[in-house]
Amino acid sequence: MDLIGLLKSQFLCHLVFCYVFIASGLIVNAIQLCTLVLWPIDKQLFRKINGRLCYCVSSQLVMLLEWWSGTECTIYTDPRSSPHYGKENAIVVLNHKFEIDFLCGWSLAERLGILGNSKVLAKKELAYVPIIGWMWYFVEMIFCTRNWEKDRQTVAKSLLHLRDYPENYLFLIHCEGTRFTEKKHQISMQVAQAKGLPSLKHHLLPRTKGFAITVKCLRDVVPAVYDCTLNFRNNENPTLLGVLNGKKYHADCYVRRIPMEDIPEDEDKCSAWLHKLYQEKDAFQEEYYRTGVFPETPWVPPRRPWALVNWLFWASLLLYPFFQFLVSMVSSGSSVTLASLVLIFCMASMGVRWMIGVTEIDKGSAYGNIDNKQKQTD
């Protein structure tokens, strides 16, 4: 391991990233709370301000991926489609197999210049998570309970609010509902067999109702669906801990722009269309494992400097008082003070490990458990 690689793996560096993220995130949350007074006065101004505040937080994770880790992502797409990217609203359908697939999606949004306004269909529990969850609440993320009878009205109402959103956005949906594991895949294919649907080798059976209601509510204001199929070279198994340690990965993503008029309006036909889409995605993945490349022309959108500039701004603002505090505690010489400092570091270490742990694949949802199996009726 070289000197830079050794430096990137040190806990002190991770502590700095964690501190800047948490401190800046809480500041952003407080500012977002203050912007609520704008909602009844000028809703569109409220949305624009919160989109930029959201960027202050989410771009820090993109900075870790692109600048700290140096991970590269090559887009394979039709050259006739690339001029549309970043210039229009779009629904993004992304496979959900890797711990950092959401980061790759954010990296794409950052390079297209629309990261701050990106949306996602997320589980409701995330709305209560400090920093990320609170931030998402102010940028009108769509939260669901994964109980369709409860979600139908609330999700549709939230989606309809996005019809007059003032700036371009990507709306990300993981139609599989949870990350791919062999256990979940086995259960998912049993459900597919019971429904008379073709088996998938590299994906879980998509949950179609969330996609169908999204298309229905955003039709006419979202001109296209971006079908994104992600994989990593050389059978890499990327993790958030690896990114934090500065490990470089090489991602390939096949992006197809599908005009909204090609997607059926009828809910049953839309569901059938989505199942066919996942059969095609499965074939693309199979071809990638065989050849190492996706179809179409490779394209690498240029890396923008603003994620790094944003992190440097927050670091310069927050690190001086942080290190001043550490020096004062160490120089005090008090055993109680030093013990408190050790306790703070231990708690910080546990916090970092917890935030990384919640992203691990084997700590995902309960999809595939015996009790949950009965609920996969879509």
Side-chain angles (χ1 to χ4, degrees), residues 344-356:
I344 290 173
F345 273 96
C346 290
M347 292 177 63
S349 176
M350 293 173 61
V352 171
R353 297 300 170 183
W354 176 80
M355 286 191 291
I356 293 172

Side-chain angles (χ1 to χ4, degrees), residues 78 80-81 84-85 88-91 211 215 218-227 255-265 270 273 277:
D78 186 337
R80 294 171 296 180
S81 297
H84 294 281
Y85 299 152
E88 63 182 0
N89 299 331
I91 298 170
F211 175 80
V215 169
L218 298 182
R219 193 179 289 273
D220 301 327
V221 297
V222 172
V225 168
Y226 296 169
D227 171 39
V255 181
R256 293 189 295 169
R257 181 183 184 274
I258 304 171
M260 188 65 79
E261 54 266 26
D262 292 351
I263 303 174
E265 295 188 29
C270 183
W273 181 91
L277 181 78

Side-chain angles (χ1 to χ4, degrees), residues 324-334 336-338 340-341 344:
Q324 193 175 42
F325 167 74
L326 291 182
V327 170
S328 65
M329 290 193 71
V330 172
S331 60
S332 70
S334 168
V336 175
T337 301
L338 293 177
S340 300
L341 182 61
I344 290 173

Side-chain angles (χ1 to χ4, degrees), residues 265-326:
E265 295 188 29
D266 177 78
E267 183 174 331
D268 291 337
K269 291 181 179 179
C270 183
S271 297
W273 181 91
L274 185 64
H275 282 300
K276 183 175 182 295
L277 181 78
Y278 267 79
Q279 293 164 31
E280 294 171 355
K281 290 169 76 70
D282 220 52
F284 295 142
Q285 288 283 34
E286 186 67 20
E287 182 69 10
Y288 184 86
Y289 283 115
R290 189 179 68 84
T291 65
V293 294
F294 284 118
E296 298 294 355
T297 305
W299 170 55
V300 180
R303 184 174 60 175
R304 305 190 330 149
W306 306 120
L308 179 61
V309 170
N310 173 73
W311 188 85
L312 291 174
F313 164 76
W314 286 109
S316 62
L317 182 68
L318 297 169
L319 285 179
Y320 175 73
F322 175 66
F323 285 119
Q324 193 175 42
F325 167 74
L326 291 182

Side-chain angles (χ1 to χ4, degrees), residues 24-43:
S24 63
L26 292 175
I27 292 171
V28 166
N29 286 162
I31 296 173
Q32 287 181 305
L33 186 63
C34 295
T35 65
L36 280 175
V37 297
L38 291 175
W39 181 266
I41 302 171
D42 191 336
K43 182 171 69 173

